[in-house]
Amino acid sequence: MLNLERLRTLDALARHGSVSGAAEGLHVTTSAVSQQMSKLEREVGQQLLAKNGRGVRLTDAGRLLADHAARILSQVELAQSDLEAQRGQVVGELRISAFPTAARGLFPAALAELRAKHPGLCVRSRELEPEAGVAGVLRGDLDLAVVLDWYNKPLPVPEGLVKASLLDDPADLAMPAGHPLADRDSVNLEDFAEDEWITWGESEFCHEWLMLTLRAKGIEPVIAHRAQEHHTQLALVGAGLGVCVAPRLGRDPMPAGVRTVPVRPRVSRDVYAVWRADADRRPSIRAAVEALRSAGGAVE
């Protein structure tokens, strides 16, 4: 009889590609992963792991069993989802993530609502950028992730995931209060072709969106500063060090010395939740989406 927890360990190894990655995803020690794999090898009577430099790799038998393990665990998830749906109770543990401004703008109200309405539900939350959130849901490390599409740059969402829109998040152009265009009712991005820009990290989804959008308008932006947090970007704007795109979700309170003006044509993000299709009937997922939408409605 194959042990389910050992199959879960093998699945985590196949998905993460290392013992340390599997241990982090499963929230256990690396020695616990190694012990589980040794027991699984004895159960099946075959070598599942082989040394690969300083790490390990799956053998042919390991890859074969890992494929079966992924399907078995998916069926277990589906069974648990169906049982929860039949009970109709919002209980258990729910692991969720959101990109920083969504965590700031949605989580306090949404998680407080979930705690008040469903005291039997334990929610564990963390901040993750959209691509990392999607990857976490795919790996099974997360139950739900709050992610985003820019109006002209969708985030790739792999097959096997379900998505639900939470809110539409408009973005303004943030500039120092003394900027020549600060008294406008609206501005075009082209108006800032000669300004210095404050943006996100080099490979972040939102930075790539900004470069794509500005270059499509014939602007090769001068990047003066980078900051992952919008509030850090806005503080730099307030100090007169450049301009930035400032979505409204999770933006307040605004620092002194900053003026935000709507962009025309409109610039916005679609903020939505993603989860695995085999967990679609879980009442806890549905309750979380409802609470996040309620929090998003208050923002809008």
Side-chain angles (χ1 to χ4, degrees), residues 38-100:
S38 294
K39 291 177 181 178
L40 185 58
E41 286 182 327
R42 288 197 297 270
E43 284 179 352
V44 301
Q46 295 191 61
Q47 184 180 358
L48 303 175
L49 295 179
K51 287 189 176 181
N52 184 31
R54 294 184 178 180
V56 296
R57 61 173 177 82
L58 293 178
T59 63
D60 290 344
R63 285 195 296 271
L64 176 65
L65 186 55
D67 289 341
H68 284 290
R71 291 192 291 271
I72 290 167
L73 293 171
S74 179
Q75 280 300 120
V76 170
E77 179 78 30
L78 188 58
Q80 291 173 334
S81 179
D82 285 346
L83 285 171
E84 282 188 30
Q86 187 180 53
R87 285 200 311 266
Q89 296 177 331
V90 181
V91 295
E93 182 177 81
L94 189 71
R95 301 158 301 167
I96 66 176
S97 75
F99 57 93

Short mmCIF file of all heavy atoms in Angstrom, two decimals, residues 38-100:
data_model
loop_
_atom_site.label_atom_id
_atom_site.label_comp_id
_atom_site.label_asym_id
_atom_site.label_seq_id
_atom_site.Cartn_x
_atom_site.Cartn_y
_atom_site.Cartn_z
N SER A 38 13.25 7.77 1.48
CA SER A 38 13.88 6.48 1.76
C SER A 38 12.83 5.43 2.08
O SER A 38 12.92 4.28 1.61
CB SER A 38 14.85 6.63 2.94
OG SER A 38 15.93 7.47 2.61
N LYS A 39 11.82 5.81 2.86
CA LYS A 39 10.74 4.88 3.18
C LYS A 39 9.95 4.51 1.93
O LYS A 39 9.56 3.34 1.75
CB LYS A 39 9.82 5.50 4.23
CG LYS A 39 10.46 5.63 5.60
CD LYS A 39 9.52 6.32 6.58
CE LYS A 39 10.18 6.49 7.95
NZ LYS A 39 9.29 7.20 8.91
N LEU A 40 9.72 5.50 1.05
CA LEU A 40 8.96 5.22 -0.17
C LEU A 40 9.74 4.27 -1.09
O LEU A 40 9.16 3.37 -1.71
CB LEU A 40 8.64 6.54 -0.90
CG LEU A 40 7.75 6.44 -2.15
CD1 LEU A 40 6.41 5.78 -1.82
CD2 LEU A 40 7.53 7.82 -2.76
N GLU A 41 11.05 4.46 -1.17
CA GLU A 41 11.87 3.57 -1.99
C GLU A 41 11.81 2.13 -1.46
O GLU A 41 11.76 1.16 -2.24
CB GLU A 41 13.32 4.06 -2.02
CG GLU A 41 13.51 5.29 -2.90
CD GLU A 41 14.95 5.75 -2.98
OE1 GLU A 41 15.69 5.60 -1.97
OE2 GLU A 41 15.35 6.27 -4.04
N ARG A 42 11.79 1.98 -0.13
CA ARG A 42 11.68 0.64 0.43
C ARG A 42 10.31 0.03 0.14
O ARG A 42 10.19 -1.16 -0.13
CB ARG A 42 11.93 0.69 1.95
CG ARG A 42 13.39 0.94 2.31
CD ARG A 42 13.68 0.57 3.76
NE ARG A 42 12.92 1.40 4.70
CZ ARG A 42 13.38 2.55 5.19
NH1 ARG A 42 14.57 3.02 4.82
NH2 ARG A 42 12.65 3.23 6.05
N GLU A 43 9.27 0.88 0.17
CA GLU A 43 7.92 0.39 -0.10
C GLU A 43 7.78 -0.14 -1.52
O GLU A 43 7.16 -1.18 -1.75
CB GLU A 43 6.89 1.50 0.13
CG GLU A 43 6.60 1.79 1.60
CD GLU A 43 5.59 2.92 1.77
OE1 GLU A 43 5.24 3.55 0.74
OE2 GLU A 43 5.15 3.16 2.89
N VAL A 44 8.34 0.59 -2.49
CA VAL A 44 8.17 0.20 -3.89
C VAL A 44 9.27 -0.73 -4.37
O VAL A 44 9.17 -1.32 -5.46
CB VAL A 44 8.09 1.44 -4.81
CG1 VAL A 44 6.93 2.33 -4.40
CG2 VAL A 44 9.39 2.24 -4.79
N GLY A 45 10.35 -0.85 -3.60
CA GLY A 45 11.44 -1.74 -3.97
C GLY A 45 12.24 -1.27 -5.16
O GLY A 45 12.87 -2.09 -5.86
N GLN A 46 12.24 0.05 -5.40
CA GLN A 46 13.02 0.61 -6.52
C GLN A 46 13.65 1.92 -6.10
O GLN A 46 13.14 2.63 -5.21
CB GLN A 46 12.13 0.84 -7.75
CG GLN A 46 11.56 -0.43 -8.36
CD GLN A 46 10.93 -0.14 -9.72
OE1 GLN A 46 11.60 0.31 -10.64
NE2 GLN A 46 9.63 -0.39 -9.82
N GLN A 47 14.76 2.27 -6.78
CA GLN A 47 15.41 3.55 -6.52
C GLN A 47 14.65 4.65 -7.25
O GLN A 47 14.41 4.58 -8.45
CB GLN A 47 16.86 3.52 -7.01
CG GLN A 47 17.63 4.79 -6.68
CD GLN A 47 19.07 4.74 -7.17
OE1 GLN A 47 19.51 3.73 -7.74
NE2 GLN A 47 19.81 5.82 -6.96
N LEU A 48 14.24 5.65 -6.48
CA LEU A 48 13.46 6.75 -7.04
C LEU A 48 14.29 8.01 -7.25
O LEU A 48 13.95 8.86 -8.06
CB LEU A 48 12.27 7.06 -6.12
CG LEU A 48 11.32 5.89 -5.86
CD1 LEU A 48 10.26 6.31 -4.85
CD2 LEU A 48 10.67 5.41 -7.15
N LEU A 49 15.38 8.14 -6.50
CA LEU A 49 16.25 9.31 -6.59
C LEU A 49 17.68 8.87 -6.89
O LEU A 49 18.12 7.82 -6.44
CB LEU A 49 16.25 10.10 -5.28
CG LEU A 49 14.94 10.77 -4.83
CD1 LEU A 49 15.15 11.47 -3.51
CD2 LEU A 49 14.44 11.73 -5.88
N ALA A 50 18.37 9.70 -7.66
CA ALA A 50 19.79 9.47 -7.94
C ALA A 50 20.53 10.78 -7.73
O ALA A 50 19.96 11.88 -7.92
CB ALA A 50 19.99 8.97 -9.36
N LYS A 51 21.80 10.70 -7.33
CA LYS A 51 22.57 11.91 -7.12
C LYS A 51 22.82 12.62 -8.45
O LYS A 51 23.03 11.99 -9.48
CB LYS A 51 23.91 11.57 -6.46
CG LYS A 51 23.76 11.20 -4.99
CD LYS A 51 25.11 11.08 -4.30
CE LYS A 51 24.94 10.80 -2.82
NZ LYS A 51 26.25 10.70 -2.11
N ASN A 52 22.76 13.97 -8.39
CA ASN A 52 22.99 14.78 -9.58
C ASN A 52 23.83 15.98 -9.16
O ASN A 52 23.28 17.02 -8.78
CB ASN A 52 21.65 15.21 -10.19
CG ASN A 52 21.83 15.98 -11.49
OD1 ASN A 52 22.78 15.72 -12.23
ND2 ASN A 52 20.93 16.90 -11.76
N GLY A 53 25.16 15.82 -9.22
CA GLY A 53 26.03 16.86 -8.68
C GLY A 53 25.84 16.95 -7.18
O GLY A 53 25.93 15.95 -6.47
N ARG A 54 25.52 18.15 -6.70
CA ARG A 54 25.26 18.33 -5.26
C ARG A 54 23.81 18.06 -4.91
O ARG A 54 23.46 18.03 -3.73
CB ARG A 54 25.63 19.75 -4.84
CG ARG A 54 27.12 20.05 -4.95
CD ARG A 54 27.42 21.44 -4.42
NE ARG A 54 28.85 21.74 -4.47
CZ ARG A 54 29.37 22.89 -4.07
NH1 ARG A 54 28.57 23.84 -3.60
NH2 ARG A 54 30.68 23.09 -4.15
N GLY A 55 22.96 17.90 -5.93
CA GLY A 55 21.54 17.67 -5.68
C GLY A 55 21.13 16.26 -6.04
O GLY A 55 21.94 15.32 -6.04
N VAL A 56 19.86 16.10 -6.34
CA VAL A 56 19.31 14.80 -6.73
C VAL A 56 18.43 14.98 -7.95
O VAL A 56 18.01 16.09 -8.29
CB VAL A 56 18.48 14.17 -5.59
CG1 VAL A 56 19.34 13.85 -4.38
CG2 VAL A 56 17.31 15.09 -5.20
N ARG A 57 18.16 13.89 -8.64
CA ARG A 57 17.22 13.87 -9.75
C ARG A 57 16.35 12.63 -9.62
O ARG A 57 16.72 11.66 -8.95
CB ARG A 57 17.95 13.85 -11.09
CG ARG A 57 18.84 12.64 -11.30
CD ARG A 57 19.41 12.56 -12.70
NE ARG A 57 20.32 11.42 -12.83
CZ ARG A 57 19.91 10.17 -13.06
NH1 ARG A 57 18.60 9.92 -13.18
NH2 ARG A 57 20.78 9.18 -13.16
N LEU A 58 15.19 12.67 -10.25
CA LEU A 58 14.32 11.50 -10.25
C LEU A 58 14.84 10.48 -11.26
O LEU A 58 15.22 10.84 -12.37
CB LEU A 58 12.90 11.90 -10.61
CG LEU A 58 12.13 12.78 -9.61
CD1 LEU A 58 10.76 13.10 -10.15
CD2 LEU A 58 12.02 12.11 -8.26
N THR A 59 14.83 9.22 -10.87
CA THR A 59 15.13 8.15 -11.82
C THR A 59 13.92 7.94 -12.72
O THR A 59 12.87 8.58 -12.54
CB THR A 59 15.44 6.84 -11.07
OG1 THR A 59 14.25 6.44 -10.34
CG2 THR A 59 16.60 7.02 -10.09
N ASP A 60 14.05 7.03 -13.69
CA ASP A 60 12.89 6.72 -14.54
C ASP A 60 11.73 6.23 -13.70
O ASP A 60 10.57 6.62 -13.92
CB ASP A 60 13.27 5.66 -15.58
CG ASP A 60 14.22 6.20 -16.64
OD1 ASP A 60 14.33 7.43 -16.75
OD2 ASP A 60 14.84 5.38 -17.36
N ALA A 61 12.02 5.36 -12.73
CA ALA A 61 10.96 4.87 -11.84
C ALA A 61 10.39 6.02 -11.02
O ALA A 61 9.18 6.08 -10.77
CB ALA A 61 11.51 3.78 -10.93
N GLY A 62 11.25 6.95 -10.59
CA GLY A 62 10.79 8.09 -9.82
C GLY A 62 9.86 8.98 -10.62
O GLY A 62 8.82 9.43 -10.11
N ARG A 63 10.22 9.24 -11.89
CA ARG A 63 9.35 10.07 -12.74
C ARG A 63 8.01 9.38 -13.00
O ARG A 63 6.96 10.02 -13.01
CB ARG A 63 10.05 10.39 -14.06
CG ARG A 63 11.15 11.44 -13.92
CD ARG A 63 11.56 11.98 -15.30
NE ARG A 63 12.16 10.92 -16.12
CZ ARG A 63 13.45 10.62 -16.12
NH1 ARG A 63 14.27 11.28 -15.33
NH2 ARG A 63 13.92 9.66 -16.91
N LEU A 64 8.05 8.06 -13.22
CA LEU A 64 6.82 7.31 -13.46
C LEU A 64 5.90 7.40 -12.25
O LEU A 64 4.70 7.70 -12.38
CB LEU A 64 7.16 5.86 -13.76
CG LEU A 64 5.97 4.90 -13.95
CD1 LEU A 64 5.16 5.29 -15.19
CD2 LEU A 64 6.46 3.46 -14.06
N LEU A 65 6.45 7.17 -11.07
CA LEU A 65 5.62 7.22 -9.86
C LEU A 65 5.17 8.64 -9.56
O LEU A 65 4.06 8.86 -9.07
CB LEU A 65 6.39 6.63 -8.67
CG LEU A 65 5.59 6.48 -7.37
CD1 LEU A 65 4.33 5.64 -7.58
CD2 LEU A 65 6.47 5.87 -6.28
N ALA A 66 6.02 9.63 -9.86
CA ALA A 66 5.64 11.04 -9.64
C ALA A 66 4.44 11.43 -10.49
O ALA A 66 3.57 12.18 -10.05
CB ALA A 66 6.83 11.96 -9.92
N ASP A 67 4.39 10.93 -11.73
CA ASP A 67 3.24 11.20 -12.60
C ASP A 67 1.96 10.63 -11.98
O ASP A 67 0.91 11.28 -11.98
CB ASP A 67 3.46 10.60 -13.99
CG ASP A 67 4.52 11.36 -14.79
OD1 ASP A 67 4.80 12.52 -14.43
OD2 ASP A 67 5.03 10.79 -15.77
N HIS A 68 2.06 9.39 -11.48
CA HIS A 68 0.90 8.78 -10.82
C HIS A 68 0.54 9.55 -9.55
O HIS A 68 -0.64 9.77 -9.25
CB HIS A 68 1.19 7.32 -10.48
CG HIS A 68 1.11 6.40 -11.64
ND1 HIS A 68 -0.08 6.07 -12.28
CD2 HIS A 68 2.08 5.72 -12.31
CE1 HIS A 68 0.16 5.24 -13.28
NE2 HIS A 68 1.47 5.01 -13.32
N ALA A 69 1.57 9.99 -8.80
CA ALA A 69 1.33 10.72 -7.56
C ALA A 69 0.56 12.01 -7.82
O ALA A 69 -0.36 12.36 -7.07
CB ALA A 69 2.66 11.03 -6.86
N ALA A 70 0.92 12.73 -8.88
CA ALA A 70 0.22 13.99 -9.21
C ALA A 70 -1.25 13.73 -9.46
O ALA A 70 -2.13 14.47 -9.00
CB ALA A 70 0.87 14.65 -10.42
N ARG A 71 -1.56 12.65 -10.20
CA ARG A 71 -2.97 12.33 -10.49
C ARG A 71 -3.70 11.88 -9.22
O ARG A 71 -4.86 12.25 -9.00
CB ARG A 71 -3.05 11.27 -11.57
CG ARG A 71 -2.61 11.76 -12.95
CD ARG A 71 -2.98 10.77 -14.04
NE ARG A 71 -2.20 9.54 -13.95
CZ ARG A 71 -1.03 9.36 -14.55
NH1 ARG A 71 -0.49 10.35 -15.24
NH2 ARG A 71 -0.39 8.21 -14.45
N ILE A 72 -3.03 11.09 -8.40
CA ILE A 72 -3.65 10.61 -7.16
C ILE A 72 -3.96 11.78 -6.23
O ILE A 72 -5.06 11.88 -5.68
CB ILE A 72 -2.72 9.60 -6.46
CG1 ILE A 72 -2.65 8.30 -7.27
CG2 ILE A 72 -3.19 9.31 -5.03
CD1 ILE A 72 -1.53 7.37 -6.84
N LEU A 73 -3.01 12.69 -6.07
CA LEU A 73 -3.21 13.84 -5.18
C LEU A 73 -4.29 14.77 -5.71
O LEU A 73 -5.04 15.36 -4.93
CB LEU A 73 -1.89 14.59 -5.01
CG LEU A 73 -0.80 13.82 -4.26
CD1 LEU A 73 0.52 14.55 -4.32
CD2 LEU A 73 -1.21 13.59 -2.80
N SER A 74 -4.38 14.89 -7.04
CA SER A 74 -5.46 15.69 -7.61
C SER A 74 -6.82 15.08 -7.29
O SER A 74 -7.77 15.79 -6.96
CB SER A 74 -5.28 15.80 -9.13
OG SER A 74 -6.32 16.55 -9.71
N GLN A 75 -6.91 13.75 -7.36
CA GLN A 75 -8.16 13.07 -7.03
C GLN A 75 -8.49 13.23 -5.55
O GLN A 75 -9.66 13.39 -5.17
CB GLN A 75 -8.07 11.58 -7.38
CG GLN A 75 -8.29 11.28 -8.84
CD GLN A 75 -9.66 11.73 -9.32
OE1 GLN A 75 -9.78 12.57 -10.23
NE2 GLN A 75 -10.71 11.20 -8.72
N VAL A 76 -7.46 13.18 -4.69
CA VAL A 76 -7.69 13.39 -3.27
C VAL A 76 -8.22 14.80 -3.02
O VAL A 76 -9.15 15.01 -2.24
CB VAL A 76 -6.39 13.14 -2.47
CG1 VAL A 76 -6.53 13.60 -1.02
CG2 VAL A 76 -6.02 11.67 -2.52
N GLU A 77 -7.60 15.79 -3.69
CA GLU A 77 -8.06 17.17 -3.58
C GLU A 77 -9.51 17.31 -4.01
O GLU A 77 -10.33 17.98 -3.37
CB GLU A 77 -7.18 18.09 -4.42
CG GLU A 77 -7.57 19.56 -4.40
CD GLU A 77 -7.14 20.27 -3.14
OE1 GLU A 77 -6.12 19.89 -2.56
OE2 GLU A 77 -7.85 21.21 -2.74
N LEU A 78 -9.85 16.65 -5.11
CA LEU A 78 -11.22 16.70 -5.61
C LEU A 78 -12.18 16.05 -4.62
O LEU A 78 -13.28 16.56 -4.37
CB LEU A 78 -11.30 15.99 -6.96
CG LEU A 78 -12.61 16.08 -7.74
CD1 LEU A 78 -12.97 17.53 -8.00
CD2 LEU A 78 -12.51 15.31 -9.04
N ALA A 79 -11.78 14.92 -4.03
CA ALA A 79 -12.62 14.25 -3.04
C ALA A 79 -12.84 15.14 -1.82
O ALA A 79 -13.98 15.27 -1.33
CB ALA A 79 -11.98 12.93 -2.63
N GLN A 80 -11.78 15.78 -1.34
CA GLN A 80 -11.91 16.67 -0.20
C GLN A 80 -12.81 17.85 -0.53
O GLN A 80 -13.63 18.27 0.29
CB GLN A 80 -10.52 17.16 0.23
CG GLN A 80 -9.65 16.08 0.84
CD GLN A 80 -8.24 16.55 1.11
OE1 GLN A 80 -7.74 17.46 0.45
NE2 GLN A 80 -7.57 15.93 2.08
N SER A 81 -12.66 18.37 -1.74
CA SER A 81 -13.50 19.48 -2.18
C SER A 81 -14.96 19.08 -2.21
O SER A 81 -15.85 19.81 -1.74
CB SER A 81 -13.05 19.95 -3.57
OG SER A 81 -13.85 20.99 -4.05
N ASP A 82 -15.25 17.89 -2.74
CA ASP A 82 -16.64 17.42 -2.81
C ASP A 82 -17.22 17.19 -1.42
O ASP A 82 -18.40 17.48 -1.17
CB ASP A 82 -16.71 16.13 -3.62
CG ASP A 82 -16.58 16.37 -5.12
OD1 ASP A 82 -16.71 17.55 -5.54
OD2 ASP A 82 -16.34 15.42 -5.87
N LEU A 83 -16.41 16.64 -0.51
CA LEU A 83 -16.89 16.41 0.85
C LEU A 83 -17.18 17.73 1.56
O LEU A 83 -18.20 17.86 2.26
CB LEU A 83 -15.85 15.60 1.64
CG LEU A 83 -15.78 14.11 1.29
CD1 LEU A 83 -14.57 13.48 1.97
CD2 LEU A 83 -17.06 13.39 1.71
N GLU A 84 -16.28 18.70 1.38
CA GLU A 84 -16.54 20.02 1.97
C GLU A 84 -17.80 20.64 1.40
O GLU A 84 -18.60 21.24 2.12
CB GLU A 84 -15.35 20.95 1.72
CG GLU A 84 -14.16 20.70 2.62
CD GLU A 84 -13.09 21.78 2.45
OE1 GLU A 84 -13.44 22.93 2.13
OE2 GLU A 84 -11.90 21.45 2.64
N ALA A 85 -17.98 20.49 0.08
CA ALA A 85 -19.17 21.05 -0.57
C ALA A 85 -20.43 20.38 -0.04
O ALA A 85 -21.46 21.04 0.16
CB ALA A 85 -19.06 20.88 -2.08
N GLN A 86 -20.37 19.08 0.19
CA GLN A 86 -21.55 18.37 0.70
C GLN A 86 -21.89 18.84 2.11
O GLN A 86 -23.06 19.01 2.45
CB GLN A 86 -21.30 16.87 0.69
CG GLN A 86 -22.55 16.05 1.04
CD GLN A 86 -22.27 14.56 1.03
OE1 GLN A 86 -21.34 14.10 1.68
NE2 GLN A 86 -23.07 13.81 0.27
N ARG A 87 -20.86 19.04 2.94
CA ARG A 87 -21.11 19.54 4.30
C ARG A 87 -21.58 20.99 4.27
O ARG A 87 -22.33 21.43 5.13
CB ARG A 87 -19.82 19.47 5.14
CG ARG A 87 -19.45 18.08 5.60
CD ARG A 87 -18.48 18.14 6.79
NE ARG A 87 -17.37 19.04 6.57
CZ ARG A 87 -16.19 18.65 6.09
NH1 ARG A 87 -16.00 17.40 5.76
NH2 ARG A 87 -15.22 19.52 5.93
N GLY A 88 -21.08 21.74 3.29
CA GLY A 88 -21.45 23.14 3.17
C GLY A 88 -20.83 24.02 4.24
O GLY A 88 -21.27 25.14 4.46
N GLN A 89 -19.78 23.53 4.91
CA GLN A 89 -19.17 24.28 6.00
C GLN A 89 -17.85 24.89 5.54
O GLN A 89 -17.07 24.26 4.83
CB GLN A 89 -18.92 23.37 7.20
CG GLN A 89 -20.19 22.82 7.82
CD GLN A 89 -19.89 21.86 8.97
OE1 GLN A 89 -18.86 21.20 8.99
NE2 GLN A 89 -20.80 21.81 9.91
N VAL A 90 -17.62 26.12 5.96
CA VAL A 90 -16.37 26.81 5.65
C VAL A 90 -15.43 26.57 6.83
O VAL A 90 -15.45 27.30 7.82
CB VAL A 90 -16.61 28.31 5.40
CG1 VAL A 90 -15.30 29.01 5.06
CG2 VAL A 90 -17.63 28.50 4.29
N VAL A 91 -14.61 25.53 6.71
CA VAL A 91 -13.73 25.13 7.81
C VAL A 91 -12.36 24.74 7.25
O VAL A 91 -12.16 24.71 6.03
CB VAL A 91 -14.32 23.94 8.60
CG1 VAL A 91 -15.61 24.33 9.30
CG2 VAL A 91 -14.56 22.75 7.67
N GLY A 92 -11.44 24.43 8.14
CA GLY A 92 -10.12 23.97 7.72
C GLY A 92 -9.13 25.11 7.57
O GLY A 92 -9.29 26.18 8.17
N GLU A 93 -8.11 24.89 6.75
CA GLU A 93 -7.06 25.88 6.53
C GLU A 93 -7.09 26.36 5.08
O GLU A 93 -7.30 25.56 4.17
CB GLU A 93 -5.68 25.29 6.84
CG GLU A 93 -4.54 26.30 6.68
CD GLU A 93 -3.19 25.73 7.04
OE1 GLU A 93 -2.59 25.03 6.19
OE2 GLU A 93 -2.74 25.96 8.18
N LEU A 94 -6.90 27.64 4.89
CA LEU A 94 -6.85 28.22 3.55
C LEU A 94 -5.58 29.05 3.43
O LEU A 94 -5.36 29.98 4.20
CB LEU A 94 -8.08 29.11 3.31
CG LEU A 94 -8.27 29.62 1.88
CD1 LEU A 94 -8.69 28.47 0.96
CD2 LEU A 94 -9.32 30.73 1.84
N ARG A 95 -4.72 28.72 2.46
CA ARG A 95 -3.45 29.41 2.26
C ARG A 95 -3.58 30.32 1.04
O ARG A 95 -3.84 29.84 -0.06
CB ARG A 95 -2.33 28.39 2.04
CG ARG A 95 -2.15 27.40 3.20
CD ARG A 95 -1.46 26.14 2.74
NE ARG A 95 -2.23 25.48 1.68
CZ ARG A 95 -1.74 24.50 0.91
NH1 ARG A 95 -0.50 24.09 1.06
NH2 ARG A 95 -2.51 23.96 -0.02
N ILE A 96 -3.42 31.61 1.24
CA ILE A 96 -3.65 32.57 0.16
C ILE A 96 -2.49 33.55 0.06
O ILE A 96 -1.76 33.77 1.02
CB ILE A 96 -4.98 33.34 0.34
CG1 ILE A 96 -4.92 34.24 1.57
CG2 ILE A 96 -6.14 32.37 0.46
CD1 ILE A 96 -6.17 35.10 1.75
N SER A 97 -2.35 34.14 -1.14
CA SER A 97 -1.33 35.16 -1.35
C SER A 97 -1.93 36.30 -2.16
O SER A 97 -2.99 36.16 -2.78
CB SER A 97 -0.11 34.59 -2.10
OG SER A 97 -0.40 34.41 -3.47
N ALA A 98 -1.24 37.42 -2.15
CA ALA A 98 -1.62 38.56 -2.99
C ALA A 98 -0.38 39.40 -3.25
O ALA A 98 0.55 39.42 -2.43
CB ALA A 98 -2.70 39.42 -2.32
N PHE A 99 -0.36 40.09 -4.39
CA PHE A 99 0.73 41.04 -4.64
C PHE A 99 0.59 42.19 -3.64
O PHE A 99 -0.49 42.40 -3.06
CB PHE A 99 0.71 41.51 -6.09
CG PHE A 99 -0.57 42.15 -6.55
CD1 PHE A 99 -0.74 43.53 -6.50
CD2 PHE A 99 -1.61 41.37 -7.06
CE1 PHE A 99 -1.90 44.13 -6.93
CE2 PHE A 99 -2.79 41.96 -7.51
CZ PHE A 99 -2.93 43.34 -7.43
N PRO A 100 1.68 42.92 -3.35
CA PRO A 100 1.70 43.81 -2.19
C PRO A 100 0.54 44.80 -2.07
O PRO A 100 -0.02 44.95 -0.98
CB PRO A 100 3.05 44.53 -2.33
CG PRO A 100 3.92 43.51 -2.99
CD PRO A 100 3.03 42.81 -3.98
#
